[in-house]
Amino acid sequence: MPNRRETDKQSRAHLRSLMESGDDASLRRAAAELHPADIAEILDSLETVDDKLRLYRLLPADTASDTLRNAQEHTRQELLEHIPDVDVAEVIERLDTDDAADILADLPEQRQRLLLDRSSPETRREVGDLLSYREDSAGGIMKTEVASARATATVGEATEYIRSRSEDFHDVHNIFVTDDKQRLLGLVPLRRLLLDDDSIPLRAIMETDLISVDAEVDQEEVAHIFERYDLLSLPVVDALNRLVGRITVDDIVDVIEEEATEDMLKLAGIGDEPLAPTSPLQQIRSRFPWLGLNLLTATVSAATVALFEETIAKIAVAAGLMTIVASQGGNAGVQTMTLVVRGLALGEVHPSQLWRLLGRELLTALGNGLLLGCGAGIIVYVWRHDWVLSAVIAVAMVINLLIAALVGSLAPLGLKMLKVDPAVSSAVLVTTATDMLGFFVFLSLLSLATR
Amino acid sequence: MPNRRETDKQSRAHLRSLMESGDDASLRRAAAELHPADIAEILDSLETVDDKLRLYRLLPADTASDTLRNAQEHTRQELLEHIPDVDVAEVIERLDTDDAADILADLPEQRQRLLLDRSSPETRREVGDLLSYREDSAGGIMKTEVASARATATVGEATEYIRSRSEDFHDVHNIFVTDDKQRLLGLVPLRRLLLDDDSIPLRAIMETDLISVDAEVDQEEVAHIFERYDLLSLPVVDALNRLVGRITVDDIVDVIEEEATEDMLKLAGIGDEPLAPTSPLQQIRSRFPWLGLNLLTATVSAATVALFEETIAKIAVAAGLMTIVASQGGNAGVQTMTLVVRGLALGEVHPSQLWRLLGRELLTALGNGLLLGCGAGIIVYVWRHDWVLSAVIAVAMVINLLIAALVGSLAPLGLKMLKVDPAVSSAVLVTTATDMLGFFVFLSLLSLATR
């Protein structure tokens, strides 16, 4: 058997060439060979909506729904605008409830209602329920397809139940055990059903030391629970501990990527811009706020420089040298800040470790500051043969690196304690501080030394 | 039943207070109530090795090995240095092969050999094999505990096999089906064993449309496969398609976090520094290279400024204003670069989309540049009442934002095409370009305008 991935690469290329040739019968056959995730990728890469629709319409119904689920959001939006309601309703019916809810959530409310009205009563109720949770809460990412049985049921009865609903339970690995009020008591892995006698009640073999999560909990917290306890699935309960759904780890993989990406984009000052193609207008809208804010803080830094106009008029090269000090401080501050922001997000750094962390960062800054200060001093001396300039830049470098360590650590930790997202607001604090104070320290030392 | 997480928080606090009281019997009882992941967190937070050892030694053997596996690397290292070989060998024996190999991989080679010699022949062979793979390859993260059976075996035989080894297969959800040369043919979900008659051969019910991965494939690629196809586990094969192991999704969750973290730290110029506590000396070593490189590039930018000493001596406020232009360019460039780097890592951006992406970024830069240029022009006019300065900063801003868009897109895409990691080298290219060219554009426009 050749490597599946390699085969797919070839088939994808083949499919693309068939798209161009216009041979729909062969195209249909070729698509049938591919995994829906691969077809979705091809859909994403097609330029026009017409091409996307043409390929989509050739897919068998169950492949079509899985393909739509796997496609990027912009592709899905384009397709959904053109697919008639009767077909979308079928997609909703075929998908797991969590994926159905995700697709509906992207549509206007009026169409949501219309589509739910076309669905089976069960889908309408379950997907409707899911839509009522916040999109980034445990309830918003769970599915309602849960295998559950009473504690008094026997192994035989549970096996029969799984058999009878094997269609719905394609990814079920556990049966959750509840009392007569649907309250969660424990779980039995499917594997146990193979091991035990049919007459044993689930109560006797269930694992009761189980972890569950409230439907209102944030998805980032849910992801931490999955990672921490190496879970494959997690039962979701309501305020009365009644079982309402289940989250599977494949959805958590997406959450983890999403949260990491979000943190990176926030650090760069790109609010919630999607990675995938978007319009320049949308990009301007998501990036301008950060740049606008930076315009104001940069102006404050420039005004700091203006305090020293006299010194600069006398020693014009200072204008260049001060940017070296600020730039080094900015980079060192971003290093510290990124480490702390990421450490906080992953739970590896705790605000309680403040003093230890600060001490380590300040010592690091002192070490790097001395090295870089000497380096800068030597460079400046070789360049300008001026001991004063050389000494001033060396001292200013050490001081600005210490400032960078202080702000780089305190900004994210402080914001976290104030319950503000450290990723979104730390960067502006750090670069403003290292620019402004870097200029100030260098120029005031210089004006003192040359007075 | 109260929420498990809340209970744990209380028990953890309780355990910490028992640590201080010195009541070992109660401590042992309290620890027995906790999940190994929670005990590991407490171990991580203890200050001294003595305290860590004291708590660790109170744990029952199976909890101890799971706790060690869950602890942070620095805690594990500290403990392993003090735990006698006979106990470490027991940990190795109890853990899944992938976790055992991870622990051994952190030890000096001599101790690795010694510990393997103390292990059972099976562990020695399997864990020894795992150690021969690159740590970040599919082989390096897989485990050898695989449920597999010949295609000719029956459902009844397979059930009996799972029953007989249920200890080893605590997280097994599929039986892999092979031919008589161990070559992978398909898989049967455990669920199917419940549905089908005992006499049916696996060949008749196995799913053959399965995805496998070669042991040499990089873990980042493995993570992409998991995400793309929503997998829970993935069989690993050798060059002859023989089944050699299995990767489970809980290990992939760690890989995804690791890769995202790596990208973030690289963008910030912190090579491979761990998030968790490390020494200032190590931190200096990991951060200095980037800062040293930046000292050189910042010096080049400063030298650019020095070309315009005459202009600056005449118009000293230009020294401050030029930093606004550079700072805005730097921020805008980092926005574009982060988007492209992250998009490349997640496979949402492809080098083939170069022209479309570049067009979109340049238009975005033009839009933001016009807005920010006007803003800066107005601020400068209000401040200095100088139309020339005001016009020069506005035009320089637009030009530097276009430069930022160009470098922010081309640097990561170009590096990717050259097969250099875009995360590690893009940032220096972008900030050097926007600083140096920002200064140059602003100062040369100004010197032309005021000549």
Side-chain angles (χ1 to χ4, degrees):
Chain A
M1 192 175 71
N3 183 310
R4 156 100 196 198
R5 302 274 301 168
E6 282 312 307
T7 330
D8 283 352
K9 225 175 198 170
Q10 287 163 20
S11 331
R12 288 199 296 260
H14 180 53
L15 200 74
R16 282 207 184 87
S17 70
L18 285 175
M19 279 296 296
E20 280 156 31
S21 77
D23 175 359
D24 279 0
S26 309
L27 191 57
R28 190 193 305 265
R29 271 196 308 276
E33 299 281 304
L34 287 180
H35 191 285
D38 296 319
I39 307 176
E41 194 198 57
I42 297 173
L43 274 181
D44 291 332
S45 72
L46 293 174
E47 297 266 338
T48 66
V49 187
D50 285 346
D51 275 352
K52 291 181 188 190
L53 277 171
R54 187 175 136 226
L55 177 55
Y56 180 82
R57 288 193 175 124
L58 290 173
L59 303 174
D62 56 339
T63 311
S65 40
D66 274 332
T67 302
L68 205 59
R69 175 174 73 82
N70 277 292
Q72 285 176 13
E73 201 178 317
H74 68 108
T75 303
R76 209 155 58 203
Q77 295 279 16
E78 285 172 334
L79 286 172
L80 285 173
E81 271 169 35
H82 294 85
I83 305 174
D85 285 346
V86 51
D87 292 339
V88 180
E90 192 182 340
V91 167
I92 301 294
E93 206 66 51
R94 280 177 182 274
L95 287 177
D96 279 350
T97 47
D98 56 339
D99 298 318
D102 284 349
I103 287 187
L104 281 177
D106 290 340
L107 297 176
E109 212 169 309
Q110 204 193 345
R111 197 165 178 213
Q112 274 183 26
R113 257 198 312 267
L114 213 142
L115 285 166
L116 281 178
D117 284 344
R118 282 179 175 275
S119 306
S120 68
E122 201 190 342
T123 304
R124 193 181 315 152
R125 182 169 43 80
E126 295 186 347
V127 176
D129 278 355
L130 290 184
L131 284 171
S132 71
Y133 292 100
R134 269 189 312 115
E135 217 179 323
D136 56 356
S137 68
I141 55 176
M142 73 183 181
K143 60 183 81 183
T144 56
E145 288 87 353
V146 192
S148 73
R150 297 276 171 83
T152 49
T154 63
V155 167
E157 285 163 355
T159 307
E160 190 42 51
Y161 162 69
I162 295 288
R163 256 187 213 144
S164 69
R165 298 196 47 191
S166 72
E167 268 300 289
D168 288 342
F169 293 161
H170 57 92
D171 66 348
V172 158
H173 304 292
N174 298 309
I175 297 188
F176 294 111
V177 183
T178 62
D179 66 9
D180 55 356
K181 294 211 167 64
Q182 269 290 96
R183 284 179 301 209
L184 187 62
L185 297 176
L187 69 79
V188 174
L190 282 199
R191 195 169 25 88
R192 285 299 307 252
L193 299 183
L194 289 173
L195 304 183
D196 284 297
D197 202 84
D198 274 4
S199 63
I200 296 181
L202 298 184
R203 181 187 293 283
I205 55 168
M206 70 183 180
E207 300 172 5
T208 54
D209 187 25
L210 89 173
I211 298 165
S212 64
V213 72
D214 192 280
E216 298 298 330
V217 166
D218 191 84
Q219 64 174 5
E220 198 166 356
E221 170 72 11
V222 175
H224 280 309
I225 299 176
F226 266 87
E227 283 171 77
R228 187 182 186 96
Y229 301 110
D230 289 339
L231 304 174
L232 289 181
S233 84
L234 177 65
V236 182
V237 294
D238 66 11
L240 299 174
N241 196 38
R242 287 179 306 208
L243 182 67
V244 292
R246 161 178 76 108
I247 299 171
T248 49
V249 69
D250 51 311
D251 295 317
I252 286 304
V253 165
D254 300 335
V255 170
I256 290 175
E257 288 256 323
E258 216 177 289
E259 300 283 345
T261 302
E262 231 178 76
D263 274 0
M264 274 175 89
L265 297 187
K266 278 184 200 156
L267 276 180
I270 324 181
D272 46 3
E273 191 173 311
L275 293 173
T278 170
S279 78
L281 208 67
Q282 280 174 306
Q283 295 197 146
I284 292 173
R285 214 176 293 145
S286 77
R287 298 186 201 177
F288 180 79
W290 180 260
L291 295 174
L293 178 62
N294 189 64
L295 178 58
L296 299 182
T297 63
T299 303
V300 175
S301 302
T304 313
V305 175
L307 297 176
F308 301 92
E309 275 184 43
E310 220 173 295
T311 309
I312 291 171
K314 217 164 52 187
I315 314 168
V317 75
L321 298 181
M322 72 179 193
T323 65
I324 301 182
V325 176
S327 159
Q328 293 290 81
N331 278 294
V334 166
Q335 290 181 332
T336 300
M337 174 193 77
T338 304
L339 199 81
V340 177
V341 165
R342 189 69 186 141
L344 283 171
L346 295 185
E348 309 253 342
V349 170
H350 293 276
S352 63
Q353 303 166 326
L354 174 65
W355 295 110
R356 239 201 293 178
L357 188 139
L358 202 58
R360 214 166 52 227
E361 288 299 327
L362 286 173
L363 278 176
T364 305
L366 188 65
N368 271 331
L370 290 172
L371 288 170
L372 295 164
C374 288
I378 293 170
I379 290 175
V380 168
Y381 186 76
V382 169
W383 181 15
R384 310 293 296 200
H385 299 288
D386 181 336
W387 277 117
V388 174
L389 268 184
S390 178
V392 164
I393 198 168
V395 175
M397 189 82 84
V398 177
I399 296 177
N400 205 28
L401 257 65
L402 291 172
I403 292 170
L406 211 62
V407 185
S409 317
L410 292 184
L413 284 173
L415 290 166
K416 177 82 180 181
M417 288 187 212
L418 295 173
K419 304 209 180 292
V420 178
D421 183 349
V424 79
S425 347
S426 294
V428 67
L429 284 172
V430 170
T431 51
T432 303
T434 51
D435 268 6
M436 201 178 68
L437 297 176
F439 296 151
F440 183 81
V441 168
F442 175 78
L443 292 174
S444 49
L445 285 177
L446 187 63
S447 68
L448 285 175
T450 57
R451 204 163 20 187
Chain B
M1 192 175 70
N3 184 311
R4 156 97 196 198
R5 299 274 300 166
E6 282 312 307
T7 331
D8 283 352
K9 227 176 197 166
Q10 288 163 19
S11 333
R12 287 199 296 260
H14 180 52
L15 201 74
R16 282 208 183 87
S17 69
L18 284 175
M19 278 296 295
E20 281 156 30
S21 77
D23 175 359
D24 279 1
S26 309
L27 191 56
R28 189 192 304 266
R29 271 196 308 276
E33 299 281 302
L34 287 180
H35 191 286
D38 296 320
I39 307 177
E41 195 199 57
I42 296 173
L43 274 181
D44 290 333
S45 72
L46 294 174
E47 296 267 339
T48 68
V49 187
D50 286 345
D51 275 352
K52 291 182 188 189
L53 277 170
R54 187 174 137 227
L55 177 55
Y56 181 81
R57 287 193 175 124
L58 289 174
L59 303 173
D62 57 337
T63 312
S65 42
D66 274 333
T67 302
L68 205 60
R69 175 174 72 83
N70 276 292
Q72 284 178 15
E73 202 178 316
H74 69 107
T75 302
R76 210 154 59 203
Q77 295 278 18
E78 285 173 334
L79 286 173
L80 286 173
E81 271 170 35
H82 293 85
I83 305 174
D85 284 347
V86 52
D87 292 339
V88 180
E90 193 183 339
V91 168
I92 301 294
E93 206 65 51
R94 281 178 183 274
L95 288 176
D96 279 352
T97 48
D98 55 340
D99 298 318
D102 284 349
I103 285 187
L104 281 177
D106 289 342
L107 298 176
E109 214 169 308
Q110 206 192 343
R111 196 164 178 213
Q112 274 183 27
R113 258 197 311 267
L114 213 142
L115 286 166
L116 281 179
D117 284 345
R118 281 179 175 273
S119 307
S120 68
E122 200 190 343
T123 304
R124 193 180 316 152
R125 182 169 42 79
E126 294 187 348
V127 176
D129 278 356
L130 289 184
L131 284 171
S132 69
Y133 292 101
R134 269 190 311 116
E135 218 180 322
D136 56 356
S137 68
I141 53 175
M142 74 183 182
K143 60 184 81 183
T144 57
E145 287 89 351
V146 192
S148 74
R150 297 277 172 81
T152 49
T154 63
V155 167
E157 285 162 355
T159 307
E160 191 43 52
Y161 163 67
I162 294 288
R163 254 185 217 148
S164 69
R165 298 195 48 191
S166 71
E167 268 300 290
D168 288 343
F169 292 161
H170 57 92
D171 67 345
V172 158
H173 303 292
N174 299 308
I175 297 187
F176 294 111
V177 183
T178 62
D179 67 9
D180 55 356
K181 295 213 168 61
Q182 268 291 95
R183 283 179 302 210
L184 187 62
L185 297 176
L187 68 79
V188 174
L190 282 198
R191 194 169 24 91
R192 284 300 306 252
L193 299 183
L194 289 174
L195 305 183
D196 284 298
D197 202 84
D198 274 3
S199 63
I200 297 181
L202 297 184
R203 182 187 293 285
I205 55 169
M206 71 183 181
E207 298 171 8
T208 55
D209 187 26
L210 90 173
I211 298 166
S212 64
V213 72
D214 192 280
E216 299 297 331
V217 167
D218 190 85
Q219 64 174 5
E220 197 167 357
E221 170 72 12
V222 175
H224 281 309
I225 298 175
F226 265 88
E227 284 170 76
R228 189 184 184 95
Y229 300 111
D230 289 337
L231 304 175
L232 289 181
S233 84
L234 177 66
V236 182
V237 295
D238 66 11
L240 299 173
N241 196 36
R242 288 179 306 208
L243 183 65
V244 292
R246 160 178 78 107
I247 299 171
T248 48
V249 70
D250 51 313
D251 295 317
I252 286 304
V253 165
D254 300 335
V255 170
I256 290 176
E257 290 256 322
E258 216 177 289
E259 299 284 344
T261 302
E262 231 178 76
D263 273 0
M264 274 174 90
L265 297 187
K266 278 184 200 155
L267 277 180
I270 324 182
D272 45 4
E273 190 173 311
L275 292 174
T278 171
S279 77
L281 208 68
Q282 280 174 305
Q283 294 197 148
I284 292 173
R285 213 177 294 144
S286 76
R287 299 185 199 177
F288 180 78
W290 180 259
L291 295 174
L293 178 62
N294 189 64
L295 177 58
L296 300 181
T297 62
T299 304
V300 175
S301 301
T304 313
V305 175
L307 297 175
F308 299 93
E309 276 183 41
E310 220 174 295
T311 309
I312 290 171
K314 217 164 53 188
I315 314 168
V317 74
L321 298 182
M322 72 181 191
T323 65
I324 301 181
V325 176
S327 160
Q328 293 291 81
N331 277 294
V334 166
Q335 289 181 332
T336 301
M337 176 193 76
T338 304
L339 198 81
V340 177
V341 166
R342 189 70 186 139
L344 283 171
L346 295 185
E348 308 253 341
V349 170
H350 294 277
S352 62
Q353 302 167 327
L354 175 65
W355 295 111
R356 238 201 291 177
L357 188 138
L358 202 58
R360 213 167 51 226
E361 289 298 326
L362 286 173
L363 278 175
T364 304
L366 190 65
N368 272 330
L370 290 173
L371 287 171
L372 295 164
C374 287
I378 292 170
I379 289 175
V380 168
Y381 186 77
V382 170
W383 181 15
R384 312 291 296 199
H385 299 288
D386 181 335
W387 276 117
V388 174
L389 268 183
S390 177
V392 164
I393 199 169
V395 175
M397 189 82 84
V398 176
I399 297 177
N400 205 28
L401 257 66
L402 291 172
I403 292 170
L406 211 62
V407 186
S409 319
L410 292 183
L413 285 172
L415 290 166
K416 176 83 182 180
M417 287 186 210
L418 295 172
K419 305 213 180 287
V420 178
D421 183 348
V424 81
S425 347
S426 293
V428 67
L429 284 171
V430 170
T431 51
T432 303
T434 51
D435 268 6
M436 200 179 69
L437 297 175
F439 296 151
F440 183 82
V441 169
F442 175 77
L443 292 173
S444 50
L445 285 177
L446 186 64
S447 69
L448 285 175
T450 57
R451 206 168 16 194

